[in-house]
Amino acid sequence: MLFDTHVHLNAEQFDEDLQEVIERAKDAGVSYMTVVGFDRPTIKRAMELAEEYEFIYACVGWHPVDAIDMTNEDLLWIEELTAHPKVVAIGEMGLDYHWDKSPKDIQKEVFRKQIRLAKKVKLPIVIHNREATADIVDILKEEDAAEVGGIMHCFSGSPEVALECLKMNFLISLGGPVTFKNAKKPKEVAAVVPLEKLLIETDCPYLAPHPYRGKRNEPGYVKLVAEQIAEIKGISFEEVAIVTTANAKKLFDIN
Ligand SMILES: [Zn+2]
């Protein structure tokens, strides 16, 4: 029983064979998934999937790379969607300094607006961080994001930063990179962070785990992430599956 907490089955990469991808996920033991929408088309599709499939939940928000495109109407729309029973979190939101489509000040403003919305509607937040750790931590502190907490999605930082995030009421989610042979930091993070504070994800179609690195990722591969964490922690795969699923259900307030 696995919970893939971050999928983009709403991406066009799954248009042709979505049903088969979902069947393979079920065969691999995936019982729940959260599909993440981060702009107009992907939010719409995330909502459709959450309505169509009982085991799919939705997370809706605005991606920092596209922050410059978010209007006030979009933010109001996201707020309306949070009333839907299958919407379990807001995001992905955050900062991405790798791409320069949206200036940093606009990214920060859009990030802050979404944190405030999450506090208003009392939902956890899902954080996307690329090359912006210090500013993310500062904003989470300044906005008192600990009040709602959430997920550091596909965490790639150091064990020290991971422990700082735990103090701010965030869980650490590990994806495909923890399985890469040369991925020192994610493996250290998997070792240091208590299992009760860990989640697993694929971020599919991106970041496929070893041995599928470079190929299209899919939710069934989250099993490889759980197996790697079990190996690093010296515990059973079943324990990783049970505890990370319970962590996700608690955070997303699923029965
Ligand atoms: Zn994502």
Side-chain angles (χ1 to χ4, degrees), residues 91-157:
E92 51 192 295
M93 64 174 79
L95 301 172
D96 190 318
Y97 293 168
H98 184 75
W99 306 106
D100 56 8
K101 177 184 168 188
S102 298
K104 287 183 184 179
D105 57 329
I106 292 176
Q107 289 194 36
K108 288 178 184 173
E109 197 49 43
V110 165
F111 184 23
R112 287 181 191 274
K113 281 180 180 169
Q114 293 184 86
I115 298 172
R116 289 171 198 162
L117 170 60
K119 289 168 75 176
K120 184 179 170 191
V121 300
K122 298 186 168 52
L123 281 178
I125 58 180
V126 174
I127 305 296
H128 170 103
N129 169 19
R130 194 157 181 200
E131 298 163 22
T133 303
D135 285 356
I136 293 224
V137 169
D138 283 351
I139 289 176
L140 291 175
K141 282 183 182 159
E142 284 165 25
E143 298 291 336
D144 192 23
E147 192 182 306
V148 286
I151 302 173
M152 305 307 289
H153 136 66
C154 202
F155 188 81
S156 61

Side-chain angles (χ1 to χ4, degrees), residues 173-222:
S173 185
L174 294 173
V178 76
T179 69
F180 299 166
K181 290 206 170 69
N182 56 354
K184 197 166 157 266
K185 276 198 284 180
K187 290 185 199 294
E188 286 173 6
V189 167
V192 165
V193 173
L195 190 58
E196 288 67 30
K197 299 291 179 186
L198 278 180
L199 299 172
I200 53 173
E201 65 169 87
T202 54
D203 199 19
C204 63
Y206 317 107
L207 292 171
H210 176 78
Y212 303 106
R213 190 172 184 176
K215 304 234 166 66
R216 184 186 70 168
N217 198 0
E218 58 178 67
Y221 297 168
V222 79

Side-chain angles (χ1 to χ4, degrees), residues 27-46:
D27 290 345
V30 179
S31 312
Y32 303 92
M33 314 176 197
T34 299
V35 59
V36 181
F38 50 80
D39 62 11
R40 276 165 228 127
T42 60
I43 290 172
K44 243 184 227 146
R45 184 73 184 126

Side-chain angles (χ1 to χ4, degrees), residues 178-179 209-212 220-229 237:
V178 76
T179 69
H210 176 78
Y212 303 106
Y221 297 168
V222 79
K223 190 177 180 194
L224 298 164
V225 175
E227 284 171 351
Q228 181 69 69
I229 293 172
F237 165 77

